[in-house]
């Protein structure tokens, strides 16, 4: 590992100033960053430790009934917050399906959004990787790529984004609050992560030194609480990233879907909002035929980027099943196997 400076600022503005220096990186839990540094994948010359910054570890109810979640709130603390889990059950389910208990105890809300792809060529410094070393090429193209992207990819990069948490957040119109040298701004999470295009090293809209300070959920996101699920297919039951996942949330009245929210994970370099599928579902009956039409719409633009055509059909089926589970009703408790496709439809208890 390269030697680096370590600073621990006392205020957000000091942190932003310190991290605006070239070569700097923010350190929170470090659950991804420290592995990247040990592997020589990233070599910051300065770590700016934000773990002691004041005011970033709270969960606050907003006047519209929404929630403001500080960037340093731990994933496990958020998932186990009873009020949060009751109002945003699909997000709690996504959080509990991610990583391991130990990692969830450490990992932060802000860090979760900024975790890097798990493309194995990105982690292998002997491989060509445009994301790690721009202009060197992409060894995943033509390589081992069965888990790579089927939506939004480019010839420069076919990686996927690994976050579970981000998927229902995007479906529910979450907003990211960002502090920079010129003050505070906010962007929708849907537009926060960038598709690879010609510059896969540019992963988000963050400018140098900008810090995520909070994630906000609008009050209207809680209106989906009675019919909201996150479903994730992974290669083992826990401690694995999604091959494909889906967050589905429905607002059902008198046997009709009044409004639908749908996003996919594991299919692109960002959490993928499926707005065409949402339009298909609006006004439809909550039944299998509607869900299949929505799944077709969600994957209409999908193309294999290698040996991963199977992911397109898998994603259709995961979307259909996530919508079926959501329509059946949010369970009173998160299942013992959160987000598992093996969860039974039977026994789902309705909130409303
Ligand atoms: Fe790098 Fe992206 Fe290619 Fe993976 S898919 S090797 S992250 S450029």
């Amino acid at each position: 590992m390269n030697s680096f400076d370590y600073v621990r600022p006392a205020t957000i503005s000091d942190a932003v100033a310190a991290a605006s220096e070239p070569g700097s990186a923010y350190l929170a839990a470090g659950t991804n960053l420290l592995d990247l540094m040990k592997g020589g994948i990233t070599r910051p010359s300065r770590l700016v430790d934000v773990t002691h910054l004041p005011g970033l570890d709270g969960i606050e109810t907003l006047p519209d009934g929404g929630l403001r979640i500080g960037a340093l709130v731990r994933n496990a603390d958020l998932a186990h917050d009873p009020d949060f889990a009751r109002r945003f059950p699909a997000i709690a389910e996504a959080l509990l399906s991610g990583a391991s208990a130990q990692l969830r105890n450490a990992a932060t809300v802000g860090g979760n959004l900024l975790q890097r792809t798990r493309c194995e060529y990105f982690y292998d410094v002997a491989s060509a990787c445009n994301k790690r070393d721009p202009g060197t090429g992409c060894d995943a193209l033509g390589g081992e790529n069965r888990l790579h992207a089927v939506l939004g990819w480019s010839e420069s990069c076919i990686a996927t984004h690994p976050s579970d948490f981000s998927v229902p957040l995007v479906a529910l119109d979450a907003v990211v609050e960002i502090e920079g040298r010129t003050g505070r701004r906010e962007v929708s999470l849907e537009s926060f992560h960038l598709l690879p295009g010609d510059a896969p090293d540019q992963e988000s809209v963050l400018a140098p030194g900008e810090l995520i300070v909070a994630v906000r959920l609008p009050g209207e996101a809680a209106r989906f609480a009675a019919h909201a699920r996150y479903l994730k297919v992974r290669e083992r039951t826990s401690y694995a990233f999604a091959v494909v996942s889906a967050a589905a949330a429905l607002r059902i009245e008198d046997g009709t879907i009044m409004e639908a929210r749908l996003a996919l994970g594991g299919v692109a370099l960002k959490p993928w909002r499926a707005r065409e599928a949402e339009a298909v579902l609006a006004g439809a009956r909550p039944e299998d035929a509607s869900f299949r039409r929505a799944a077709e719409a969600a994957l209409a633009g999908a193309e294999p980027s290698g040996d991963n055509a199977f992911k397109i059909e898998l994603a259709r089926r995961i979307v259909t099943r996530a919508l079926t589970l959501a329509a059946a009703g949010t369970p009173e408790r998160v299942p013992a196997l959160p987000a598992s496709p093996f969860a039974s439809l039977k026994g789902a208890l309705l909130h409303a």
Side-chain angles (χ1 to χ4, degrees):
M1 196 192 302
N2 283 3
S3 60
F4 55 87
D5 292 337
Y6 170 87
V7 294
R8 186 195 279 177
T11 67
I12 291 175
S13 58
D14 286 350
V16 169
S20 297
E21 296 296 321
S24 299
Y26 284 116
L27 173 69
T31 55
N32 189 201
L33 176 64
L34 297 186
D35 283 345
L36 292 165
M37 291 174 66
K38 286 186 261 187
I41 296 125
T42 185
R43 296 183 177 82
S45 53
R46 166 188 280 186
L47 287 187
V48 180
D49 184 341
V50 295
T51 55
H52 288 66
L53 293 180
L56 300 186
D57 60 353
I59 303 172
E60 175 191 350
T61 300
L62 300 171
D64 74 344
L67 218 55
R68 184 175 185 274
I69 307 158
L72 291 179
V73 172
R74 307 286 172 178
N75 286 191
D77 291 340
L78 183 60
H80 292 298
D81 182 286
D83 183 54
F84 173 79
R86 182 179 57 79
R87 291 202 285 155
F88 307 105
I91 307 177
E93 191 167 23
L95 282 165
L96 292 174
S97 77
S100 65
Q102 292 93 334
L103 285 166
R104 292 193 295 270
N105 285 340
T108 63
V109 160
N112 189 305
L113 304 188
L114 294 176
Q115 62 183 299
R116 313 293 298 277
T117 182
R118 263 58 182 188
C119 171
E120 60 196 59
Y121 299 98
F122 175 70
Y123 285 81
D124 173 14
V125 293
S127 296
C129 174
N130 287 323
K131 182 181 280 296
R132 176 176 19 83
D133 297 309
T136 57
C138 170
D139 275 351
L141 282 169
E144 172 55 55
N145 51 27
R146 59 185 293 279
L147 299 180
H148 284 69
V150 293
L151 285 162
W153 55 273
S154 74
E155 292 295 324
S156 295
C157 180
I158 60 173
T160 60
H161 194 270
S163 169
D164 293 299
F165 178 46
S166 297
V167 180
L169 283 179
V170 161
L172 295 173
D173 284 339
V175 168
V176 185
E177 293 183 19
I178 298 165
E179 184 89 12
R181 297 202 84 161
T182 56
R184 194 161 291 198
R185 67 183 179 116
E186 55 186 53
V187 297
S188 70
L189 183 58
E190 187 178 3
S191 53
F192 178 81
H193 297 101
L194 301 177
L195 289 174
D198 296 330
D201 55 313
Q202 290 282 326
E203 298 183 351
S204 76
V205 298
L206 288 179
E210 283 193 317
L211 175 69
I212 295 176
V213 293
V215 173
R216 242 181 26 239
L217 280 159
E220 66 171 29
R223 292 187 303 171
F224 296 91
H227 297 280
R229 295 301 300 268
Y230 182 68
L231 186 59
K232 171 179 177 179
V233 173
R234 46 199 144 175
E235 293 192 313
R236 58 176 179 249
T237 307
S238 74
Y239 197 25
F241 296 96
V243 177
V244 172
S245 69
L250 302 172
R251 199 161 57 75
I252 300 175
E253 289 178 15
D254 300 327
T256 299
I257 299 171
M258 306 306 292
E259 193 179 0
R261 300 291 180 84
L262 184 69
L264 283 80
V267 295
L269 200 48
K270 61 187 291 182
W272 192 268
R273 179 86 178 257
R275 290 185 181 274
E276 298 82 1
E278 293 175 4
V280 166
L281 290 164
R285 291 182 57 77
E287 59 191 19
D288 191 57
S290 310
F291 302 152
R292 288 176 188 272
R293 281 200 306 277
E296 287 296 330
L299 277 301
E303 281 183 58
S305 58
D307 298 327
N308 57 359
F310 79 97
K311 285 184 70 168
I312 300 172
E313 179 56 22
L314 178 62
R316 286 192 195 101
R317 294 182 184 212
I318 289 300
V319 165
T320 303
R321 187 160 174 85
L323 289 166
T324 305
L325 286 166
T330 306
E332 285 292 337
R333 295 167 180 265
V334 174
L337 288 177
S340 169
F342 304 111
S344 170
L345 281 176
K346 291 181 184 149
L349 300 174
L350 299 184
H351 277 300

